[in-house]
């Protein structure tokens, strides 16, 4: 509600990539925490919760992102999440999971969807990323929360009457495409090995799932590689002036992997 405060990592998608929606749509202030590749801790959350003081906004919600996009697909441990939930319960805060890539985390972790779902008051899941549905996300919560969410969605002008076709595609994705996410992770780790051999690559974030973020030695080199890859119809994006992100999904087959290897191998370094 207006005047409340949301706590999240400083690179959280809900904070960086939603056009200021936290403030614009809800009148809520964001309190950001510098995490480990986007992963914040219970102790950090504990330290920034505001007390009952009219000078401060009211701390109401903690948002975790698993996997974390700007953290290169980093994964939370179940124990870390449970510790954060304990802090939230102590201070009567809600805990939300931005689970756009939660199934990427699940196939690489020792916890199940049921185990992690019980840690949160609400969860969002994207069906159109690694799972490959044409479009769609799902919001989960208890009955009262979903009833209110539907009202908010209506106020924002949302809703589809012809959603059955999209729901069918989403169900197919959930039923058939979860375990194959491991193939995307394998492709990412393979490209990581190729990048390590590429002169001009300064650093590569640890590759845990389907995302690679790597930094080159100069802005000029970054622009040159980005342009080179685009000319070969290999799409990626620059996340900073000197960093590039690759994201792997079900449309990246072995033939396309060969094209990526060739593209990197033929890239001419400056000098």
């Amino acid at each position: 509600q207006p005047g409340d405060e949301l706590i999240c990592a400083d690179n959280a998608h809900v904070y960086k990539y939603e056009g200021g929606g936290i403030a614009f749509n809800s009148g809520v202030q964001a309190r950001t925490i510098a995490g480990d590749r986007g992963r914040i801790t219970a102790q950090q959350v504990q330290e920034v919760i505001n007390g009952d003081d009219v000078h401060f906004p009211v701390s109401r919600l903690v948002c975790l992102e698993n996997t974390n996009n700007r953290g290169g697909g980093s994964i939370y441990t179940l124990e870390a999440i449970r510790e954060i939930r304990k802090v939230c319960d102590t201070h009567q805060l809600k805990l939300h999971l931005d689970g756009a890539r939660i199934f990427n985390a699940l196939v690489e972790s020792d916890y199940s969807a049921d185990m992690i779902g019980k840690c949160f008051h609400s969860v969002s899941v994207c069906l159109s990323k690694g799972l490959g549905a044409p479009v769609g996300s799902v919001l989960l919560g208890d009955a009262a929360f979903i009833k209110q969410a539907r009202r908010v969605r209506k106020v924002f002008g949302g809703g589809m009457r012809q959603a059955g076709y999209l729901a069918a595609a989403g169900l197919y994705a959930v039923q058939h495409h979860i375990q194959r996410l491991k193939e995307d992770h394998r492709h990412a780790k393979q490209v990581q090995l190729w990048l390590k051999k590429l002169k001009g690559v300064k650093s590569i974030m640890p590759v845990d799932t389907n995302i690679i973020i790597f930094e080159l030695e100069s802005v000029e080199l970054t622009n040159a590689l980005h342009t080179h890859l685009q000319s070969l119809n290999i799409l990626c994006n620059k996340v900073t002036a000197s960093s590039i992100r690759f994201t792997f999904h079900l449309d990246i087959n072995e033939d396309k992997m060969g094209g990526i290897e060739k593209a990197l191998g033929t890239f001419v370094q400056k000098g």
Side-chain angles (χ1 to χ4, degrees):
Q1 299 299 314
D4 289 346
E5 185 173 77
L6 174 157
I7 299 168
C8 64
D10 58 4
N11 68 352
H13 192 287
V14 295
Y15 174 68
K16 290 184 67 71
Y17 295 115
E18 296 296 344
I22 294 173
F24 187 86
N25 294 325
S26 300
V28 170
Q29 177 169 293
R31 177 65 161 89
T32 60
I33 298 173
D36 170 26
R37 296 172 59 207
R39 294 167 296 193
I40 59 178
T41 68
Q43 180 63 34
Q44 288 179 303
V45 173
Q46 175 76 48
E47 291 172 355
V48 301
I49 295 173
N50 290 325
D52 184 11
D53 187 322
V54 295
H55 295 89
F56 306 133
V58 180
S59 301
R60 294 286 192 193
L61 177 67
V62 176
C63 289
L64 306 183
E65 184 179 335
N66 193 24
T67 65
N68 182 278
N69 177 13
R70 285 298 300 271
S74 59
I75 304 172
Y76 273 95
T77 65
L78 185 61
E79 182 59 28
I81 294 171
R82 285 174 171 170
E83 288 299 318
I84 293 172
R85 175 59 189 262
K86 289 179 184 178
V87 172
C88 290
D89 287 345
T90 299
H91 296 275
Q92 290 80 52
L93 272 65
K94 298 293 187 181
L95 183 60
H96 173 73
L97 172 62
D98 176 355
R101 296 180 175 86
I102 185 58
F103 288 109
N104 291 92
L106 289 172
V107 299
E108 295 293 339
S109 303
D110 58 358
Y111 49 83
S112 66
D114 182 60
M115 292 166 68
I116 194 173
K118 290 177 179 177
C119 297
F120 294 90
H121 296 93
S122 58
V123 179
S124 60
V125 178
C126 184
L127 304 175
S128 61
K129 290 187 169 67
L131 293 180
V135 66
S137 295
V138 178
L139 181 66
L140 299 89
D142 64 24
F145 173 80
I146 294 300
K147 182 178 181 180
Q148 179 64 15
R150 284 177 170 167
R151 178 169 291 278
V152 172
R153 181 186 65 180
K154 188 65 176 178
V155 170
F156 284 156
M160 283 188 67
R161 293 178 179 84
Q162 299 80 16
Y165 292 101
L166 300 180
L171 284 171
Y172 185 91
V174 170
Q175 292 166 357
H176 295 87
H177 290 169
I178 292 176
Q179 288 305 314
R180 67 143 305 280
L181 292 171
K182 285 182 174 290
E183 183 178 337
D184 299 336
H185 302 172
R186 179 174 59 82
H187 286 160
K189 289 179 173 64
Q190 182 60 59
V191 173
Q192 178 190 29
L193 295 177
W194 296 339
L195 287 171
K196 286 181 177 179
K197 300 176 183 178
L198 189 66
K199 186 178 179 181
V201 173
K202 183 178 179 180
S203 63
I204 307 172
M205 278 191 186
V207 178
D208 296 328
T209 51
N210 67 320
I211 298 174
I212 302 176
I213 297 178
F214 61 99
E215 183 180 5
L216 290 102
E217 292 178 348
S218 69
V219 173
E220 294 77 15
L221 195 59
T222 306
N223 291 337
L225 178 58
H226 187 250
T227 300
H228 174 68
L229 292 172
Q230 282 188 314
S231 71
L232 298 173
N233 201 31
I234 298 173
L235 304 182
C236 56
N237 68 306
K238 292 188 292 182
V239 292
T240 69
S242 59
S243 299
I244 289 177
R245 186 189 77 148
F246 289 160
T247 304
F248 295 85
H249 49 86
L250 58 77
D251 291 324
I252 306 298
N253 54 31
E254 294 305 319
D255 287 342
K256 291 183 179 179
M257 284 291 289
I260 295 171
E261 182 180 21
K262 183 177 180 180
L264 294 175
T266 59
F267 179 60
V268 178
Q269 304 294 335
K270 63 175 183 178

